[in-house]
Amino acid sequence: MNVELLQYNPDCEKIVAAAAKLCYSSSEIDGILNGLDHEKTVNFIDRLMSLGHESPIEHITFTFGIEGVSRSLLAQLTRHRIASYSVKSQRYVNEGRFEYIIPKEIEADEKAKAIFVKAMEDDEKTYNELTAILKEKHYKTFIEEGNDEKTAKSKAEKKAIEDARYVLPNACETKLIATFNARSLINFFHHRCCERAQWEIRDMACEMLKLVKKVSPTIFKVAGPRCISGPCPEGKMTCGKMLEKRKMFLEE
């Protein structure tokens, strides 16, 4: 897994402070940033976050480049709907030799890993066989329709992999770019940094949190699972590691 912070506004916390300042003062827009030095910005945001006034942090966004993750993770990630995603397409990219993610528990068991790898190899073989059969069929059709050879081959492959991809596994590796506003990102961390989140998306969320804390430490000061700043919301399903999690996330 590789997670990179591709884009953010270096003055992101100042922008948030200015947005909040506008809510509580009669300042004109052309002077809204005046006087917001580092100390005042931090104090303003600390007060803002303690009051739960989170709408001003929607004005800043963070864009991540993510690779080496599974389609299984992607299905979970896109449930966070207040975000923008661009993902490697299996309709346009041939997955004839796809990479795949091996779950940690399977990786640690030699017998389980052998079965898993065999399943991936079988999926790849099936995908390639289906692609070849469909490509040949579509190629003939496109030639009959009057397309030149180069165009027919290109269109036939695209049409073939559209259907062949149905046999690809959840473990299939993918790449994506994701953009969140800060408020949505904090909500994402509440759910996905939690011990009850699946290991892969939890690892990714924790890495994303480390990256944004470096560039926006005040806004993300207490970001992470909900238990680090209040009671665990999971009830009987709690992991029981509240003190451990508070130490981990608050002392990073």
Side-chain angles (χ1 to χ4, degrees), residues 126-138 160-161 164:
T126 302
Y127 173 86
N128 286 328
E129 289 175 347
L130 287 171
T131 298
I133 292 169
L134 295 173
K135 186 176 179 180
E136 181 179 359
K137 172 187 173 183
H138 297 317
I161 64 177

Side-chain angles (χ1 to χ4, degrees), residues 72-129:
S72 178
L73 178 147
L74 177 64
Q76 298 173 67
L77 176 61
T78 51
R79 290 173 187 162
H80 297 271
R81 295 181 293 278
I82 306 178
S84 300
Y85 306 102
S86 296
V87 184
K88 182 182 74 170
S89 173
Q90 290 181 335
R91 289 185 66 200
Y92 295 97
V93 179
N94 191 311
E95 296 279 17
R97 299 193 64 177
F98 66 85
E99 300 292 330
Y100 51 86
I101 310 304
I102 304 179
K104 295 177 180 179
E105 293 296 326
I106 294 178
E107 180 78 54
D109 187 293
E110 186 175 339
K111 184 176 180 181
K113 182 179 179 181
I115 294 172
F116 186 89
V117 170
K118 175 65 164 52
M120 296 300 103
E121 292 172 347
D122 288 345
D123 281 345
E124 182 180 298
K125 180 180 178 182
T126 302
Y127 173 86
N128 286 328
E129 289 175 347

Side-chain angles (χ1 to χ4, degrees), residues 1-221:
M1 180 186 296
N2 179 39
V3 181
E4 297 183 18
L5 181 58
L6 299 179
Q7 184 69 49
Y8 68 97
N9 190 318
D11 292 323
C12 57
E13 296 198 337
K14 193 172 183 180
I15 290 170
V16 170
K21 177 182 175 182
L22 184 67
C23 296
Y24 298 106
S25 74
S26 58
S27 300
E28 299 295 331
I29 292 297
D30 60 2
I32 197 67
L33 295 173
N34 294 343
L36 285 176
D37 58 21
H38 176 71
E39 182 178 356
K40 288 182 179 179
T41 296
V42 170
N43 290 338
F44 215 134
I45 293 176
D46 277 341
R47 185 162 71 252
L48 190 72
M49 301 302 284
S50 68
L51 293 172
H53 184 187
E54 296 181 340
S55 61
I57 68 175
E58 294 178 16
H59 292 293
I60 60 172
T61 61
F62 299 84
T63 298
F64 302 88
I66 301 164
E67 60 186 354
V69 296
S70 69
R71 300 286 295 197
S72 178
L73 178 147
L74 177 64
Q76 298 173 67
L77 176 61
T78 51
R79 290 173 187 162
H80 297 271
R81 295 181 293 278
I82 306 178
S84 300
Y85 306 102
S86 296
V87 184
K88 182 182 74 170
S89 173
Q90 290 181 335
R91 289 185 66 200
Y92 295 97
V93 179
N94 191 311
E95 296 279 17
R97 299 193 64 177
F98 66 85
E99 300 292 330
Y100 51 86
I101 310 304
I102 304 179
K104 295 177 180 179
E105 293 296 326
I106 294 178
E107 180 78 54
D109 187 293
E110 186 175 339
K111 184 176 180 181
K113 182 179 179 181
I115 294 172
F116 186 89
V117 170
K118 175 65 164 52
M120 296 300 103
E121 292 172 347
D122 288 345
D123 281 345
E124 182 180 298
K125 180 180 178 182
T126 302
Y127 173 86
N128 286 328
E129 289 175 347
L130 287 171
T131 298
I133 292 169
L134 295 173
K135 186 176 179 180
E136 181 179 359
K137 172 187 173 183
H138 297 317
Y139 174 75
K140 290 178 181 178
T141 300
F142 288 130
I143 287 294
E144 290 171 358
E145 291 176 351
N147 291 275
D148 61 71
E149 184 176 338
K150 182 178 179 181
T151 300
K153 283 183 178 180
S154 177
K155 292 173 71 173
E157 178 173 82
K158 176 185 175 297
K159 194 169 179 62
I161 64 177
E162 280 186 333
D163 290 334
R165 66 181 172 145
Y166 278 74
V167 301
L168 293 172
N170 275 337
C172 192
E173 185 266 353
T174 193
K175 302 173 179 64
L176 66 137
I177 289 177
T179 300
F180 290 77
N181 71 54
R183 189 179 194 179
S184 183
L185 198 51
I186 287 175
N187 179 67
F188 173 73
F189 294 145
H190 283 333
H191 293 283
R192 302 304 182 174
C193 290
C194 175
E195 190 69 19
R196 294 197 65 244
Q198 190 171 15
W199 65 272
E200 188 182 16
I201 198 167
R202 185 173 65 247
D203 287 353
M204 185 188 75
C206 289
E207 186 59 32
M208 291 165 66
L209 178 54
K210 289 178 184 177
L211 292 172
V212 295
K213 271 190 171 183
K214 291 178 181 178
V215 300
S216 185
T218 311
I219 288 174
F220 296 101
K221 183 186 299 184

